[in-house]
Amino acid sequence: MRRICAVKRSVRFPVSTALLRRLALASIIANVGIVVTGGAVRLTESGLGCPTWPRCTDESYVATAEMGINGAIEFGNRLLAFVVGGIALAVLVAVLLQRPRRRELVPLAVAVLFGIPAQAIIGGITVLTDLNPWVVGLHFLASMAVIAAAYALWRRIKDPAGPAAPVVPAPLRTLALLTTVVSAAVLVIGTWVTGSGPHAGDHGSARNGLAPETIAQVHADSVFLLIGLSVALVFAFRAVGARRAARAALVLVAVELGQGLIGFVQYFTNLPAVLVGAHMLGSCLVLLATLSVQWSTRERRAVAPTPEPTPTTEDAVPVPA
């Protein structure tokens, strides 16, 4: 009987690292996707397609035919939150079932899972406040936080479980951190620009009162600063021979230039909905590229298992005759 129990305990659930990474990557893609679909809700003026929350109407949890296409779009986006949450739940279950379990992955998986309903609640508050632009901006930033946690989980799964060791000098790690802070600031200021612009999500919804031209210029200046810091990182990483970090910084510069081009074109073409949606996708890509640079300044090395002590004659247990 004891042998049977020992065998059962030694059986490992077949959750491979490769499967776990695929699930974590699916979580990143799903969270980016719901940002884009959320933008589609606003850009089609369907933000109040379901005029209340958590119900769609006072009498129904689902959209009705009388609510038309706007109701279908808004309710469809609400349903997507369950899909994203289901993927996050699958990731957490896989993390818990993997053997040997990596304890450092559990808090990140939990953060992603619980971040999704938190983001949904903020989305509900945007409806209850008639699409208040400040709450709408917070809703977007909450999604960015969940994406950041999902990316951190994906990278930790990929990396060994050992401690992190720096691969670039301390001043360059500080420069990379400053770039990350400026990137976050660009995202925040971008929500202010959106809140001052014409795409309110519904006819008659309030704007934040900021002058669109002024806040757009502040946003553009912050983007120029971000690009300058990113270019500096490329040359600095190359100078110290950190090739992986230099590649990550070069990708960040490319993403920033593409995002900046979309931003300028949309500004000078009166903010067409298609370009605004592409700009929202670009914001997610800038965030992911920034995190990739931050991750590339350190690397984790596998810890060699501690060898078991060799038994000596003194440790031997006498066997009764």
Side-chain angles (χ1 to χ4, degrees):
M1 181 63 73
R2 288 181 181 177
R3 278 185 184 177
I4 295 174
C5 292
V7 170
K8 287 184 177 179
R9 288 195 189 107
S10 66
V11 173
R12 297 180 178 182
F13 194 88
V15 176
S16 65
T17 300
L19 174 59
L20 196 52
R21 285 193 64 200
R22 291 191 189 99
L23 288 172
L25 180 60
S27 182
I28 296 174
I29 295 172
N31 278 285
V32 171
I34 203 167
V35 169
V36 176
T37 59
V41 170
R42 180 168 56 84
L43 295 170
T44 57
E45 297 185 343
S46 303
L48 295 177
C50 286
T52 189
W53 187 88
R55 294 174 181 263
C56 188
T57 68
D58 290 334
E59 295 80 22
S60 175
Y61 280 99
V62 301
T64 61
E66 293 77 11
M67 299 172 69
I69 186 64
N70 289 345
I73 292 174
E74 163 64 3
F75 181 69
N77 190 62
R78 293 187 183 190
L79 289 180
L80 284 177
F82 291 96
V83 176
V84 178
I87 296 174
L89 178 60
V91 173
L92 176 59
V93 170
V95 166
L96 293 175
L97 292 178
Q98 189 185 36
R99 295 293 184 273
R101 180 185 298 171
R102 293 179 56 182
R103 296 183 182 276
E104 73 275 12
L105 301 180
V106 177
L108 289 171
V110 170
V112 174
L113 179 60
F114 284 92
I116 293 168
Q119 186 260 11
I121 290 172
I122 298 173
I125 295 173
T126 66
V127 174
L128 298 177
T129 57
D130 294 327
L131 306 183
N132 181 289
W134 300 105
V135 182
V136 171
L138 180 61
H139 188 215
F140 172 79
L141 295 175
S143 295
M144 294 296 103
V146 175
I147 290 173
Y151 178 83
L153 175 61
W154 178 69
R155 288 301 298 258
R156 288 302 301 269
I157 294 170
K158 178 181 178 182
D159 294 342
V167 296
V168 298
L172 296 191
R173 297 199 301 274
T174 301
L175 181 59
L177 180 59
L178 176 61
T179 304
T180 301
V181 172
V182 173
S183 182
V186 167
L187 292 176
V188 173
I189 298 171
T191 65
W192 301 347
V193 176
T194 300
S196 68
H199 296 292
D202 189 78
H203 291 294
S205 294
R207 301 284 74 205
N208 59 21
L210 300 175
E213 297 81 6
T214 302
I215 195 62
Q217 184 61 56
V218 173
H219 184 55
D221 292 341
S222 66
V223 170
F224 286 134
L225 174 60
L226 177 60
I227 294 175
L229 291 171
S230 302
V231 171
L233 282 175
V234 173
F235 288 103
F237 288 152
R238 285 181 174 177
V240 298
R243 295 182 179 179
R244 186 169 66 94
R247 286 195 300 270
L250 188 60
V251 170
L252 174 60
V253 171
V255 173
E256 290 166 351
L257 291 176
Q259 175 74 336
L261 177 61
I262 295 173
F264 276 109
V265 172
Q266 72 172 3
Y267 180 78
F268 290 109
T269 55
N270 297 319
L271 302 175
V274 173
L275 288 182
V276 175
H279 201 58
M280 293 187 69
L281 173 60
S283 297
C284 299
L285 298 181
V286 168
L287 172 64
L288 292 171
T290 302
L291 293 174
S292 177
V293 171
Q294 188 65 45
W295 220 269
S296 69
T297 61
R298 293 175 173 82
E299 67 178 17
R300 294 181 181 274
R301 300 180 177 92
V303 179
T306 304
E308 295 184 2
T310 305
T312 63
T313 54
E314 295 179 358
D315 299 326
V317 179
V319 179

